[in-house]
Amino acid sequence: MCGIVGCIGKKEAQPYLISGLHRLEYRGYDSAGIVTISNDNKATLLRAKGKVSSLESLIGKNTSKDTIGIGHTRWATHGEPSETNAHPHQSGNVYLVHNGIIENYKELKTSLKDHVFKSQTDTEVLAALVNSFYNNDTELVDAVTQALQLVVGTYGIAVVSARNPDEIIVARSGSPLIIGIGDDETYIASDASALIGYTTQAIYLNDGEIAVCRRDGVKLRDLAAQPISAQVETIEIDMQAIQKQGYDHFLLKEICEQPVTLRSTLSGRVNVEDELVKLGGLNLTVEEIRDIEHVTIIGCGTAYYAGLLGSYYLEQLVDGLTVDVAMASELRYRSFHLPKKTVALVISQSGETADTLACLRELKRRGVKTLGIIIAVGSTIAREVDGGVYVHAGPEISVASTKAFTSQAVTITMFGVQIAQAKGSGAKDVAKFIKELDQLPNEIEAVINNYKDRIADLAKRYAHYEHAIFFGRDTLYPVALEGALKLKEISYIQAEGFAAGELKHGPIALVDDTFFEVALILDNWLFDKSLSGLAEVNARGGHIIAITNSKKQIDAEEVLVIDTKLDLLAPLVLNVAQQLFAYYVTVAKGFDVDQPRNLAKSVTVE
Ligand code: M6R
């Protein structure tokens, strides 16, 4: 949430700051700002409400040749989106950008009598606090350290001083920060994507660390001012992965690249000929895998729904395995109890989601073995889990998550196969799952190639509705939840997902002409039961779009028959049709597909 950039070197800072902010814009787009410092101690502060493009339009009249600067793109927590609340915040010579939340900002504010507060933000309090310790005899890093010792909350910060154009101070506690090492240049970013094309060498700051970034290098220390040695790592994201590559939107690109990303997820892990699955990185012996009796899955939003779908597959795959799934935002405050021989699967695209991270830390504190199923390489969760799997789906830029869902659900399924094989149980289904995993990328490719136009046409005709209900049974229940989330978050149509069997317990009361319904139906042992739910909605004047793999008669306003040879994994194929549907509805409504209102990609605050 929010994006931070910074640079200090020999080249002009503004171009990097703007390019970095564009790349991080998906982390928040309520306002943006930059400050650069000249060699003769003048600060050029530019801030604008709205997207980075609004900030960029200010540069024309305010071009600076300064070679040091910091920038920020904001997702509002304290204070409305406005220029006044935009970062950087200034106090005296100090300019500061911040991700996270300073929980005790009100208390701190009362002690800062010398500063006239202009914004409603917690960040301005932190800037004023740093400035209160920053007198003529103090180094900026010491003032920052003293201020942070008083702070309760989470932060990733970058600080510059008009008095000193030779260093940027950065610090982290709970909000990611990466320092890129270039040739006589040092870069700062809250996400590796802002560093691509500038450097491949980076230091991932840990919680409690402060860094002094200079043109010729970086020095790390802790909050007690003790030096720490830095570990430089290589960033392995290529430029192509963060570009639209000819697509109109990142969302469409990310939906359409699923066959490719899924092949990467499966590559080297599923061996169809030998009917084997092997995930590297679990850090579990075969005996430890065989001994697993309980799997608990945690995540938020789409990651949670991928976990929910994965839980159905784990139950099908492994006889006697107990599986539960929890929303991380709920679990973290519950008095939950976990049996012995539990393994926790921590699902996250960004690897930075605050609620998921908090759960992970609590699970670790209780001695539970934690495994990550993560996309973002080097992210905090990926670094803190005991073991796990990178899903190799490449960066997701669009705020709405699509390819992550598919690859995460598939990875949980692979994990299930591995447990089943270690335990020697469920041999029949294991073979079928392996075969379908192998076929899945081609089946998804076929949906994209063969149904895109039909779905676009359908979407245009249903885009005028105000409300939508998605429903499905069994493995299609999580898919219904995900379909509703996708539609609501980008098209703003109020959409809810339900287990089909639950409709008659309340939700069916909603059905009227302002609603349409998406009925997800598989041609399996639940087909007739699914038709009963559909009939009940039809009887009340529903406007149903049925999405199914069945060629049997289905009575609905529209029936989208997806021709697939898959059975167990067909829900993932139907889900791609839903993703395309949400995309085309949003395009038809003319909304911002990749950066929907009020949202940000990586939710690093509570
Ligand atoms: O990065 P994570 O996977 O941990 O993110 C979890 C959710 O914030 C995320 O899936 C969110 O629900 C997306 N906007 C859904 O499209």
Side-chain angles (χ1 to χ4, degrees), residues 2 31 37 97 111 182 191 246 266 268 443 468 482 567 597 602-603:
C2 304
S31 63
I37 310 288
V97 295
S111 65
D191 179 326
L266 296 165
E443 295 293 306
E482 171 60 9
D567 171 25
R597 70 185 181 207
S602 173
V603 187

Side-chain angles (χ1 to χ4, degrees), residues 52 84 118 152 164 170 205 212 275 283 298 305 397 413 443 454 469 505 528 538 551 567 575 582:
V52 178
T84 317
K118 296 170 206 79
V152 177
N164 182 356
V170 296
L205 224 55
V212 181
E275 292 187 351
N283 295 337
I298 59 164
Y305 296 145
I397 307 292
T413 309
E443 295 293 306
R454 163 99 198 271
I469 287 174
H505 297 290
D528 290 337
N538 266 333
K551 297 194 177 77
D567 171 25
N575 184 53

